[in-house]
Amino acid sequence: MKKDIEIAQNKILLSIDKIAKKLNINEDEIELYGKYKAKLSNTLINRLKDRKDGKLILVTAINPTPAGEGKTTITVGLGDALCKLGKETIIALREPSLGPCMGMKGGATGGGYAQVIPMEDINLHFTGDIHAITAAHNLISAMLDNSLYFGNPLNIDINNIKWQRALDINDRSLRSITIGSDATLRRDGFIITVASEIMAILCLAKDIKDLRERIAKIIVAYNKEGEIVTVKDLKCVGAVVVLLKDAMKPNLVQTLEENPVIIHGGPFANIAHGCNSVIATNTAIKLAEYVVTEAGFGADLGAEKFFDIKCRVSDIKPSIVVLVATIRALKYNGNVNNIEDDKSLERGIANLEQHIENLKKYNLPVVVTLNQFSDDTKDEIDFVRNFCKNLSVDFALATVWENGGSGGIELAKTVLANINRKNDFKLLYNDNLTIKEKIETIAKEIYRADGVIYNSKVEKEIEKIGNFGFSNLPICIAKTQYSFSDNPKLLAAPRGFKITISDIKLSSGAGFIVAIAGSIMTMPGLPKKPAAEDIDLDDNGNIVGLF
């Protein structure tokens, strides 16, 4: 069996200008980054503003195994399948982070014969967007510490600084560090770049003007009187915007089947809001009849945040949701004490059922697809198919890893049969609820928790956020992706638990409040055997070991 990277490297790519022509994009409306990558220019984005929107298909998933369930692979395969059916289609994805690429999970360009290429470039440095975000984030850090060094004119309380540094590599030793000297000596730390508020802002900003306004609002610290200190106070808003001006432009690449893909922005869904940029999605739905996009991790994280954060701030409205499951993940969710038995699938199917119920709360059509693996049996597949039938949810089998777009035809036809069904899309909660009411709505309606526990520190921070006038913002819950709860060991569809909010952070520039549930790391660590051990250049200069 060929590895993903071998399949990708055996493909002769079309030059990116030819991909652009498929979308009726002019040569002067793309900015080339080599022969096979390009950025979409502001000229194009402005030209498309008054066009009618195409239909948006959101791909999400059940709670995954540590290896993931092929959600990006399904997204790419579905897009290719729609193109095979003669539908004008664009795929819109997030940019991969170097953290998982060098760590455990690997890249994020799909797999097998449902991939986006050039996969090596996309999974590594791509067009430099994430590096630009890292630089912009750390410029703010440097400006803050420079202000402290030169007499602290903003009267910053060094024990109440909220802005850390950022790096797009998993490095647990940088979670907590000591910096400065004498009067400026203080505790600091690094977060992974994809958890940066700059990343969230880039993905939610509608244009450069909106980007500038959001950056200015970022809270970096509080002064000794307890007042907010922002990036505007540091006088570096313009410099940050300059570092991000090219990163704001969406990137155009292609699938193995030479269909267009827009990739832009990459916030994690367990830490951040897990969606590609508003600009990329808006551009895609102006360019094509159908757009296939995804939200990170399970639907309890990625899809909930796609709806309640991204759709709320952008007026983007999906037409249908595709829920990805695998036999492997269903059995994983049904394992008792990590022991698989004949009843694992029957127990684990409760996870799929709860995700279906949750998605229906947004008044959207839902289609379930099973990403088929070679060791799945007919009885197992039929069990899932019949389960969906009993819930009156359409089901489709997908073999896109093995067969590319051809393996997604059944899914594509099922999506097309459902996409024009009644769609009264609604959000889960209203802006005017209190911070606690919003958190508790998500916890009870999506996770099925009995309640929420707040410690005294979180209680005080919620009160402070309210006093500063930010209670109207949506909630971004950061929690484990492996469970509906905040405990990764509570699988399937647990009941009789409570969610513990261990910390709460105001991201005033991004426009949401981050509530951290349980133990979640904003700077992950590398596994015992990192993927980086296997990545290398061969004697011909080809990258090997990337997956």
Side-chain angles (χ1 to χ4, degrees):
M1 182 184 294
K2 286 185 177 180
K3 296 181 179 179
D4 291 347
I5 192 168
E6 294 171 334
I7 294 170
Q9 289 175 340
N10 285 334
K11 168 66 180 177
I12 298 174
L13 286 75
L14 275 186
S15 60
I16 198 64
D17 60 311
K18 292 179 180 176
I19 299 296
K21 284 180 182 176
K22 291 186 175 186
L23 299 169
N24 295 314
I25 297 173
N26 304 321
E27 286 185 17
D28 60 352
E29 292 177 326
I30 59 172
E31 299 169 7
L32 298 178
Y33 276 64
K35 193 174 180 181
Y36 307 115
K37 300 169 290 183
K39 282 193 169 288
L40 302 178
S41 72
N42 293 328
T43 304
L44 171 67
I45 293 168
N46 290 332
R47 174 167 72 84
L48 298 172
K49 280 184 178 178
D50 296 327
R51 274 202 192 175
K52 181 182 176 182
D53 290 350
K55 293 187 179 294
L56 183 62
I57 302 161
L58 176 67
V59 179
T60 186
I62 65 171
N63 292 100
T65 67
E69 303 319 304
K71 184 170 69 279
T72 305
T73 303
I74 291 291
T75 302
V76 175
L78 173 56
D80 281 338
L82 286 166
C83 288
K84 279 186 176 296
L85 293 175
K87 305 299 181 182
E88 188 180 50
T89 305
I90 294 178
I91 299 159
L93 300 174
R94 294 175 295 162
E95 297 182 44
S97 163
L98 285 176
C101 288
M102 297 292 170
M104 179 177 70
K105 196 168 181 289
T109 54
Y113 290 90
Q115 289 192 65
V116 185
I117 48 178
M119 73 89 83
E120 309 98 300
D121 290 3
I122 298 166
N123 281 319
L124 297 174
H125 303 292
F126 201 18
T127 57
D129 293 348
I130 294 182
H131 296 319
I133 291 165
T134 302
H137 182 111
N138 290 331
L139 171 62
I140 295 171
S141 299
M143 292 292 285
L144 189 156
D145 281 296
N146 196 55
S147 182
L148 292 175
Y149 181 81
F150 284 106
N152 193 11
L154 297 173
N155 201 27
I156 292 170
D157 179 357
I158 64 169
N159 296 312
N160 209 352
I161 290 173
K162 301 300 182 182
W163 192 256
Q164 295 180 293
R165 284 160 162 79
L167 180 71
D168 194 42
I169 290 289
N170 295 355
D171 193 341
R172 64 173 60 82
S173 61
L174 292 178
R175 287 173 187 160
S176 180
I177 60 174
T178 302
I179 63 170
S181 59
D182 302 329
T184 65
L185 189 69
R186 66 181 181 87
R187 300 296 296 172
D188 198 356
F190 280 74
I191 60 174
I192 193 163
T193 300
V194 288
S196 167
E197 188 174 353
I198 297 289
M199 173 65 85
I201 287 172
L202 180 131
C203 288
L204 292 172
K206 297 171 185 175
D207 50 35
I208 287 288
K209 181 176 180 290
D210 190 20
L211 177 78
R212 182 185 297 275
E213 291 172 353
R214 288 172 179 271
I215 288 169
K217 294 176 184 176
I218 293 173
I219 296 170
V220 295
Y222 294 93
N223 65 21
K224 292 175 183 177
E225 286 72 45
E227 299 166 330
I228 286 170
V229 179
T230 67
V231 171
K232 182 180 179 181
D233 296 321
L234 295 176
K235 300 179 180 178
C236 61
V237 175
V240 173
V241 171
V242 166
L243 289 176
L244 296 173
K245 71 178 183 66
D246 291 326
M248 276 287 287
K249 300 170 186 173
N251 306 292
L252 180 67
V253 284
Q254 64 190 287
T255 69
L256 285 172
E257 299 186 8
E258 301 175 353
N259 295 314
V261 184
I262 295 177
I263 297 185
H264 194 222
F268 278 175
N270 59 342
I271 295 171
H273 69 288
C275 317
N276 71 339
S277 75
V278 166
I279 289 178
T281 305
N282 275 332
T283 303
I285 60 178
K286 298 294 185 184
L287 281 168
E289 182 183 8
Y290 297 98
V291 174
V292 188
T293 192
E294 67 170 0
F297 289 125
D300 56 316
L301 286 168
E304 186 274 316
K305 294 171 185 179
F306 185 97
F307 299 141
D308 290 312
I309 297 177
K310 181 173 180 174
C311 293
R312 187 186 301 268
V313 305
S314 65
D315 294 325
I316 290 170
K317 294 181 180 178
S319 297
I320 193 168
V321 183
V322 175
L323 180 61
V324 179
T326 62
I327 298 296
R328 179 179 66 178
L330 291 169
K331 287 181 175 179
Y332 177 83
N333 272 281
N335 288 354
V336 176
N337 299 321
N338 293 320
I339 299 173
E340 185 178 313
D341 59 26
D342 292 340
K343 299 294 182 182
S344 294
L345 181 58
E346 292 179 31
R347 290 191 298 266
I349 202 78
N351 187 267
L352 174 64
E353 183 176 17
Q354 184 165 323
H355 281 295
I356 292 171
E357 291 172 355
N358 288 348
L359 292 170
K360 286 185 174 181
K361 291 180 179 182
Y362 293 92
N363 286 351
L364 290 169
V366 179
V367 167
V368 171
T369 187
L370 192 67
N371 184 18
Q372 186 176 359
F373 284 62
S374 58
D375 56 353
D376 296 345
T377 68
K378 183 179 183 301
D379 286 346
E380 290 169 340
I381 294 168
D382 287 344
F383 175 78
V384 179
R385 189 190 302 274
N386 291 331
F387 186 86
C388 292
K389 184 178 180 180
N390 290 335
L391 292 177
S392 300
V393 175
D394 280 2
F395 171 91
L397 196 62
T399 59
V400 296
W401 190 98
E402 182 181 4
N403 300 307
S406 297
I409 295 296
E410 179 187 344
L411 173 58
K413 289 181 176 179
T414 305
V415 167
L416 292 172
N418 284 272
I419 202 165
N420 292 315
R421 281 172 46 200
K422 187 177 180 181
N423 177 347
D424 295 322
F425 175 64
K426 67 173 185 176
L427 302 173
L428 188 66
Y429 54 83
N430 296 322
D431 292 336
N432 58 6
L433 295 182
T434 67
I435 294 171
K436 282 188 174 182
E437 285 172 337
K438 292 171 187 172
I439 293 172
E440 287 158 15
T441 298
I442 297 170
K444 292 176 180 178
E445 294 293 325
I446 302 299
Y447 309 154
R448 305 294 204 280
D450 291 341
V452 181
I453 299 170
Y454 310 91
N455 60 36
S456 58
K457 174 189 169 186
V458 170
E459 294 270 13
K460 289 178 183 177
E461 196 64 26
I462 288 174
E463 183 180 2
K464 183 190 292 186
I465 291 169
N467 290 338
F468 281 121
F470 292 106
S471 293
N472 64 314
L473 297 181
I475 301 297
C476 179
I477 295 185
K479 74 169 186 69
T480 177
Q481 65 268 34
Y482 298 119
S483 171
F484 279 111
S485 74
D486 54 8
N487 178 356
K489 295 181 180 179
L490 291 181
L491 302 177
R495 296 291 186 271
F497 67 92
K498 292 186 177 182
I499 293 287
T500 299
I501 302 300
S502 57
D503 199 2
I504 195 155
K505 298 179 180 180
L506 173 59
S507 294
S508 55
F512 55 67
I513 297 163
V514 179
I516 298 178
S519 178
I520 190 80
M521 293 292 181
T522 53
M523 171 53 84
L526 292 170
K528 186 173 183 180
K529 180 177 170 47
E533 291 183 7
D534 298 320
I535 297 172
D536 203 347
L537 281 180
D538 66 18
D539 292 340
N540 297 316
N542 297 313
I543 295 173
V544 296
L546 192 64
F547 69 100

